[in-house]
Amino acid sequence: MMRTVRLLPALLLGPVLLTACGSERADEADPVELASRARALGIAPELVYATDAPGHSLAQQSVGVYGGDGFSATYVSPQKGTQVQLTVDRGTMTAATCEQASGAEPSATHVTCARDGDAWYRSSGQWAEYAVPRKDFVIRVGGTNVPRDVLREAADHLHRPSADELDTLLPSAPAGGEPVERGDLPPVGDGAPDNDVDAGG
């Protein structure tokens, strides 16, 4: 089933920024604190990742659940008008399934797939992504009209969030540890997440 993500409208691109600053992290976030904040939002703690995308900064309001308990965040470049979508979701990707797997953005164009180091470079029309398989989940960084070298660097800089990044990526868990209400769950029906793109993109 194709999953789609919400692209941020231009008025929301006044970002609460987390500026790219290299891939080395000397102070990885406390795992207990990360787990508390992630679970409060319905996100599996092990699926929370960050990256550094050249020329792009994290838009804090974009952070949320992807799919069942996955993670999603968007890095934006107001100057270039491009967005790099980071998604982490359960599953796998192999040479046999790479071209068949749908991308984060819908496209009627055939998906082409090529191995690039430890990742897969996938493209369809103006959209492209790097998919990095890990044990039991796949991390993707992609976007429309984003240069391949920017996506490659974002894939190379994937990492678990630092203590400073955690405050930007995830809010503090609410008192009592009760999960917050997810905005992507419809009030009626079977409760499946609503990942459709809003009208007008």
Side-chain angles (χ1 to χ4, degrees):
M1 178 179 67
M2 180 173 289
R3 288 177 175 145
T4 57
V5 294
R6 303 180 191 276
L7 294 182
L8 298 177
L11 291 178
L12 292 181
L13 295 184
V16 179
L17 300 180
L18 179 65
T19 304
C21 55
S23 58
E24 294 184 1
R25 296 294 183 275
D27 58 341
E28 186 171 319
D30 176 66
V32 175
E33 182 65 20
L34 187 155
S36 174
R37 298 187 188 189
R39 288 174 179 146
L41 296 174
I43 301 170
E46 66 272 19
L47 302 183
V48 178
Y49 274 77
T51 190
D52 300 316
H56 295 70
S57 300
L58 176 71
Q60 186 182 46
Q61 69 272 25
S62 72
V63 177
V65 181
Y66 181 77
D69 60 355
F71 176 77
S72 176
T74 300
Y75 294 75
V76 302
S77 173
Q79 293 78 17
K80 297 180 180 179
T82 54
Q83 303 179 24
V84 174
Q85 180 75 31
L86 164 66
T87 62
V88 189
D89 199 16
R90 300 191 186 279
T92 187
M93 186 170 292
T94 66
T97 63
C98 186
E99 292 187 1
Q100 284 72 42
S102 61
E105 298 180 20
S107 174
T109 308
H110 175 72
V111 175
T112 60
C113 192
R115 190 73 176 180
D116 187 349
D118 62 351
W120 295 98
Y121 179 71
R122 309 173 69 240
S123 61
S124 177
Q126 299 302 308
W127 162 87
E129 73 174 11
Y130 271 95
V132 185
R134 298 288 173 87
K135 184 179 180 181
D136 301 326
F137 61 92
V138 179
I139 310 174
R140 306 182 188 209
V141 285
T144 299
N145 296 320
V146 180
R148 180 170 177 171
D149 61 328
V150 172
L151 297 179
R152 175 72 257 189
E153 191 161 347
D156 288 342
H157 289 172
L158 290 167
H159 58 273
R160 298 284 281 169
S162 69
D164 289 340
E165 288 175 314
L166 184 61
D167 287 334
T168 308
L169 282 169
L170 300 173
S172 299
E178 293 297 324
V180 299
E181 182 178 352
R182 281 179 53 173
D184 64 335
L185 296 180
V188 296
D190 61 4
D194 177 9
N195 288 319
D196 290 337
V197 176
D198 292 335

